Amino acid sequence: MATAVKSFARVAARSTPLTSSIKNTTTHNARCIIPRQPFRSSRRGYASENNVKTSSMGLYWGIGAAALAGAGGYFFYNNGGVTSLREGSAGETRGIFTPTKEDYQKVYNEIARRLDERDDYDDGSFGPVLVRLAWHCSGTYDKETNTGGSNGATMRFAPEKDHGANAGLHAAQDFMEPVHDKFPWITYSDLWTLGGVCAIQEMQGPTIAWRPGRMDRDISMCTPDGRLPDGAKEQKHLRAIFGRMGFDDREIVALSGAHALGRCHTDRSGFEGPWTFSPTVMSNDYYRLLLGEKWNVRKWNGPKQFQDVTSKSLMMLPTDMALVQDKEFKKHVERYAKDDQVFFAEFRDVMVKLLELGVPFQSKEDDRLLLQPLQ
């Protein structure tokens, strides 16, 4: 019943044109929804001293297992030796398990199922906060030092999980924990990025090509604070933060389109409110509202943010307003506001780039997976 109600709400929302005079508008006309396009995409075992031959074989097996694990295989241990493998797609019970596309689709489906069932968060979906988790664990990358990025899932540890920009992301991590319990062979690094892909697709966004291969790392690899965007600043800051990752102006504006989703919270960033009227539907409304609405500085006891004049229910950050105040940024805002298909295509590509920053994949780009949405 919940699924049917939510599906009806989505259809109804996406069939109403956006106007500045109606508070609860949507994002897409039904005819503007683009079709989903394919994207071409040991622990060493020790024997007794009386069995030297077996010990040597165990060593070679351990080396081979480690090598295969690096290429996408997963080897399970428990205390003093190898124990049973937690079941994979082929029902293996010992040794090395190499996940297939089918296995990753099962993980995706579990995330999507939980998104559908858990409609008790914010505006009715954990989707936006899963996108934020994927974004923040990837957006710490530094191209000069080749540190940070999604390879590691170091946000599991303090101090990184306590960085101001990551406030509230424990909700996303807690949401994903039962999925990891069910599929313990997947790394947190892969799981969190896959969660972002799933959330975007299930919220009617473009199909995002994704590939596994990230490894979890320890606390020593936590990144320093200050690598993520600060919403209180402007275009110079945006170019410095995104430029450190290797993004140009067009890509900065495209990634900013994720602000179509979710809202700010005073107990996290200090800011308050959603960017759009449909914060659980991926769309180009963020750009349309930036250009089509009149925005004034909000008078309140909080950090500087902007409020729409018409409904007084939406907000924009100083970094958002920088996109229309800077002429190089603005030309891309205008392109995306005019054509949601252009936005979806460019957002799709730059999201793939973001999630893969700094990851030493053993696979090729052609090995990326297109996982099918449930909605």
Side-chain angles (χ1 to χ4, degrees):
M1 183 65 180
T3 301
V5 171
K6 290 169 67 178
S7 298
F8 176 80
R10 284 180 177 140
V11 172
R14 296 168 74 82
S15 62
T16 306
L18 175 74
T19 64
S20 61
S21 60
I22 300 177
K23 293 184 180 181
N24 293 316
T25 67
T26 169
T27 59
H28 290 281
N29 289 335
R31 67 177 184 276
C32 292
I33 301 174
I34 66 170
R36 299 188 183 276
Q37 299 294 330
F39 186 91
R40 288 253 185 240
S41 56
S42 83
R43 178 182 175 99
R44 183 184 306 169
Y46 291 91
S48 68
E49 293 182 0
N50 294 327
N51 193 350
V52 176
K53 181 176 181 180
T54 303
S55 177
S56 298
M57 290 303 293
L59 172 60
Y60 294 132
W61 170 251
I63 294 172
L68 185 53
Y74 295 82
F75 202 54
F76 287 83
Y77 323 95
N78 184 16
N79 298 325
V82 179
T83 61
S84 62
L85 176 71
R86 303 194 187 187
E87 190 170 294
S89 61
E92 302 94 332
T93 56
R94 287 186 71 83
I96 297 171
F97 162 48
T98 301
T100 65
K101 180 179 179 180
E102 178 187 9
D103 292 303
Y104 290 112
Q105 184 69 60
K106 289 178 181 178
V107 179
Y108 178 104
N109 291 350
E110 180 65 14
I111 299 169
R113 182 191 66 79
R114 287 179 55 75
L115 282 173
D116 187 62
E117 292 181 353
R118 295 289 307 277
D119 57 1
D120 55 343
Y121 183 79
D122 265 5
D123 298 289
S125 176
F126 273 87
V129 77
L130 294 192
V131 175
R132 183 168 167 243
L133 176 63
W135 208 115
H136 282 218
C137 75
S138 304
T140 57
Y141 182 67
D142 183 343
K143 66 181 181 180
E144 297 300 324
T145 61
N146 195 32
T147 58
S150 64
N151 192 50
T154 50
M155 202 194 302
R156 291 170 295 149
F157 310 113
E160 190 171 336
K161 70 177 181 180
D162 298 324
H163 291 170
N166 293 330
L169 284 178
H170 65 277
Q173 294 186 44
D174 291 347
F175 177 92
M176 297 295 274
E177 196 60 33
V179 182
H180 192 268
D181 289 343
K182 188 170 183 177
F183 303 97
W185 49 264
I186 191 170
T187 64
Y188 283 101
S189 306
D190 277 342
L191 180 63
W192 290 357
T193 54
L194 180 55
V197 168
C198 177
I200 290 168
Q201 295 188 174
E202 296 302 313
M203 291 188 290
Q204 310 303 310
T207 300
I208 309 292
W210 175 89
R211 57 176 162 161
R214 298 162 188 81
M215 302 301 293
D216 293 335
R217 310 179 81 171
D218 62 28
I219 192 172
S220 68
M221 301 306 294
C222 283
T223 57
D225 200 359
R227 288 195 177 184
L228 293 167
D230 182 345
K233 298 185 178 180
E234 298 178 345
Q235 51 264 50
K236 183 178 179 180
H237 170 76
L238 286 175
R239 289 192 171 99
I241 292 292
F242 285 88
R244 189 203 68 236
M245 292 183 266
F247 293 115
D248 60 25
D249 284 358
R250 179 185 63 82
E251 293 170 316
I252 293 172
V253 179
L255 281 173
S256 298
H259 281 177
L261 304 170
R263 62 171 55 238
C264 288
H265 304 77
T266 54
D267 61 343
R268 299 176 188 180
S269 63
F271 302 106
E272 181 182 55
W275 289 268
T276 71
F277 291 115
S278 301
T280 62
V281 178
M282 188 69 185
S283 73
N284 68 338
D285 277 4
Y286 169 72
Y287 306 107
R288 297 169 67 193
L289 287 162
L290 266 174
L291 294 172
E293 267 292 352
K294 182 174 175 58
W295 299 91
N296 288 336
V297 175
R298 179 182 177 183
K299 296 179 180 180
W300 74 312
N301 295 323
K304 181 181 178 180
Q305 68 177 65
F306 296 81
Q307 184 179 67
D308 73 299
V309 172
T310 304
S311 73
K312 295 182 173 55
S313 64
L314 302 179
M315 58 135 288
M316 291 288 171
L317 304 174
T319 46
D320 299 313
M321 300 307 296
L323 300 185
V324 291
Q325 294 165 350
D326 184 286
K327 65 179 183 179
E328 293 302 315
F329 284 151
K330 188 176 181 179
K331 65 184 182 183
H332 299 296
V333 173
E334 291 172 338
R335 287 194 308 113
Y336 299 147
K338 289 177 182 177
D339 193 331
D340 61 351
Q341 295 190 40
V342 170
F343 165 54
F344 270 29
E346 296 187 17
F347 176 82
R348 173 197 65 200
D349 293 345
V350 75
M351 196 69 187
V352 171
K353 178 178 175 178
L354 172 68
L355 299 182
E356 294 190 353
L357 291 175
V359 182
F361 290 109
Q362 301 297 314
S363 60
K364 300 177 182 178
E365 292 183 2
D366 289 344
D367 296 325
R368 289 173 179 148
L369 306 178
L370 291 174
L371 301 173
Q372 297 304 307
L374 295 187
Q375 300 293 343

